[in-house]
Structures are given as structure tokens and as C-alpha cells.
Amino acid sequence: MSGAELFNQLPEDIICSILSLTSPKDTFSFSLVSSSLRLVAASDFLWQTFLPSDYKHIIDRSVTPLKYSSKKELFIRLCNSILIDSGNKSFALEKSSGRKSYVISAKELSILYGEEPDHWTWKSVPESRFSEVAELKVICRLEIKANLKTNILSPNTKYGVYFIMKISDQAFGLNSVAAEISVEIGNRKVVQNCVLDSMGMTNFEEKQRDQRLPYKREDGWMEIEVGELYNGGDEEEVTVSLMEVKGCHVKGGLIIQGIEFRPKH
């Protein structure tokens, strides 16, 4: 008798307990073995172990009521991301691991002079997951910050923090001086330099080799990795910032969608 056949003869509760110690990715693969095991791998008991402990609180914050007939269906629905907190955050589960990720919209960021129409404009763009993004018109001091408590993230998980942005066709002054990006958690702070707009720069790779660069995402936006943090399970305050205050020159054309906290492997 093969190992698969022996495994198939185990009681369902034992199989569920074994699968709960693996991962959603492994369970999806396991469900392809046989029709009988597929039923076990779809059980609510099993998929509840892959959902975050606060999943009920999360779905209560959803902008659109979530309809699901099983915990597996709910898990898959959350992997596709939902808008929460009046549409000012996006939440998703990583399909392979069940770890949480969040995007904090521009509306929830602290933006210097963000409510002054001479400096910033708020508008809707069809490619954004949020109802509005912030577009920089003209400013000398660029200061953007976000705060988050680590207890909303998955425990014992390393996260990457990403600034999600675009550069408008009319942008100016964004590549004159490098911007500072930082992640501060507790009494630990890591500061790095980044380039917001690399267009038109000569010998760019040589001149900017020590600076973070924006990369194009699959959704058409650009992202800059601000830094990393490890959530060991204790509740700590995280402050993420992007600043350009040293150039004292005017700049504009930066479009901000938000800041993402995404699990890293």
C-alpha cells in the first residue's frame, strides 16, 4: 500500500490536524490528490486555522459586505484584497502563507500642507484601488509620514514597507536632490536615500548606486522599498517617512497612492 493510500485511511480530524501544521499552499496542492481528500482539505475547521485570529474584526470593517459559504471561500476572497476602514485601507492575505498585508491610502498619511490646494490636489484615478490619490502641485518641503501598530500585522513575520507612487508627465524638481526614506520601530530607525524620478538623468546607475530606485509594479504603479521590519509579536509603533527638505527648491508631479506593508520571504 502506498503512502498516499495509508494517509487516505487516517481519520478526517487527524488529517485536518496534520494539514493545519502546513500552509495554505500545501493544502491547495493536497486537495488535488483525490476526491475524498479534497473534501477534507476544504473543511471549515482546517481553513479557520489559516485565517488570522482577528478575521471577524477585519471583515466587519469591510466597505462591502463579504459573502462566503465556507472558510476556504473566505480565505480566497481575502487573498484578492478588500477595502476596509471607510475605504482608506486595503487588506489582503498572502495566498501561499495566509500572512496579512495592508496598504494605507494617501488619505491616512500625514502629508505636509496636504489640505492646502495651492500645494496638493486630491483626485480620482481609475487605476487606483482607493477613491482618491494625492498629487503634488508645487512645494519646497516634501514630508510624508505614516504610523502603524505592529499588532495588526502577522506575528513572527518580516515585512517590507513600500511607497506606492507615480510621476506625472508634468513633474519637475523631483530628481534634483535625493529624498530620505526611513522606517522607525521602537528606538530603532533606518534611514536611506532614494530617487523619486529617474527620468532624464545621465549616468544614472553610476551616480545613484547607493540610492533606492522606484520599480514598476504589475498594477502599473511604481514602488520604492522604504525598508524592512520584523514583527516579533510585541505591540510597537512603526513610523514610515519620506522627506525631501534639504534642496529648498520647488518640485511637483508626485502622485501618491499609499504605503504598503507586505510580507517578505
Side-chain angles (χ1 to χ4, degrees):
M1 184 178 293
S2 68
E5 290 173 328
L6 287 171
F7 193 79
N8 197 22
Q9 291 184 357
L10 291 173
E12 289 188 5
D13 58 339
I14 299 297
I15 296 176
C16 282
S17 296
I18 293 172
L19 289 178
S20 70
L21 300 175
T22 60
S23 69
K25 181 180 178 180
D26 293 332
T27 300
F28 279 120
S29 299
F30 182 82
S31 66
L32 303 176
V33 174
S34 71
S35 58
S36 58
L37 294 180
R38 189 177 306 122
L39 292 174
V40 179
S43 73
D44 278 356
F45 169 81
L46 173 60
W47 284 95
Q48 180 150 333
T49 66
F50 295 138
L51 290 167
S53 59
D54 60 345
Y55 77 91
K56 291 182 180 179
H57 176 58
I58 292 168
I59 61 179
D60 284 344
R61 294 154 58 195
S62 176
V63 171
T64 304
L66 297 181
K67 296 181 180 180
Y68 55 94
S69 58
S70 67
K71 296 294 172 55
K72 180 181 179 180
E73 185 179 347
L74 174 61
F75 180 91
I76 294 172
R77 177 67 186 88
L78 293 177
C79 289
N80 294 326
S81 83
I82 60 171
L83 289 176
I84 61 173
D85 297 347
S86 301
N88 291 326
K89 290 190 188 78
S90 175
F91 171 85
L93 294 178
E94 186 180 60
K95 189 173 183 180
S96 62
S97 68
R99 295 188 177 102
K100 304 174 184 176
S101 66
Y102 289 89
V103 180
I104 301 175
S105 74
K107 276 292 185 183
E108 289 211 347
L109 303 181
S110 173
I111 302 175
L112 182 66
Y113 305 129
E115 299 305 320
E116 297 190 14
D118 288 342
H119 297 293
W120 291 88
T121 182
W122 293 86
K123 64 181 186 180
S124 298
V125 294
E127 61 271 23
S128 173
R129 71 184 70 193
F130 302 112
S131 61
E132 287 187 313
V133 299
E135 181 170 356
L136 176 60
K137 296 172 68 176
V138 59
I139 210 165
C140 291
R141 293 177 59 88
L142 179 61
E143 297 186 33
I144 303 166
K145 291 186 177 181
N147 291 293
L148 177 141
K149 291 189 180 297
T150 57
N151 65 334
I152 73 168
L153 302 174
S154 295
N156 305 313
T157 300
K158 182 168 73 172
Y159 278 85
V161 184
Y162 306 88
F163 186 75
I164 307 173
M165 48 164 273
K166 281 188 176 184
I167 303 297
S168 75
D169 294 336
Q170 293 77 39
F172 59 92
L174 294 174
N175 58 7
S176 299
V177 177
E180 281 189 354
I181 49 178
S182 66
V183 176
E184 182 176 4
I185 177 170
N187 59 0
R188 308 177 300 280
K189 184 176 183 179
V190 178
V191 181
Q192 301 185 75
N193 290 332
C194 76
V195 172
L196 294 174
D197 183 9
S198 61
M199 294 298 292
M201 298 184 73
T202 59
N203 300 320
F204 177 76
E205 291 184 356
E206 177 63 26
K207 291 181 179 180
Q208 310 296 335
R209 61 184 180 273
D210 296 326
Q211 299 176 1
R212 293 280 174 97
L213 310 178
Y215 290 92
K216 191 169 185 179
R217 297 158 52 104
E218 292 182 358
D219 61 8
W221 287 82
M222 305 292 290
E223 72 177 25
I224 294 176
E225 184 173 355
V226 183
E228 297 179 350
L229 65 92
Y230 181 78
N231 179 27
D234 296 329
E235 182 176 337
E236 295 185 281
E237 183 85 16
V238 181
T239 300
V240 181
S241 67
L242 183 149
M243 302 179 67
E244 201 292 278
V245 299
K246 298 178 180 178
C248 296
H249 62 281
V250 294
K251 42 196 163 281
L254 178 66
I255 303 172
I256 304 166
Q257 181 176 191
I259 293 177
E260 182 171 15
F261 292 78
R262 189 168 75 226
K264 294 192 73 174
H265 300 281

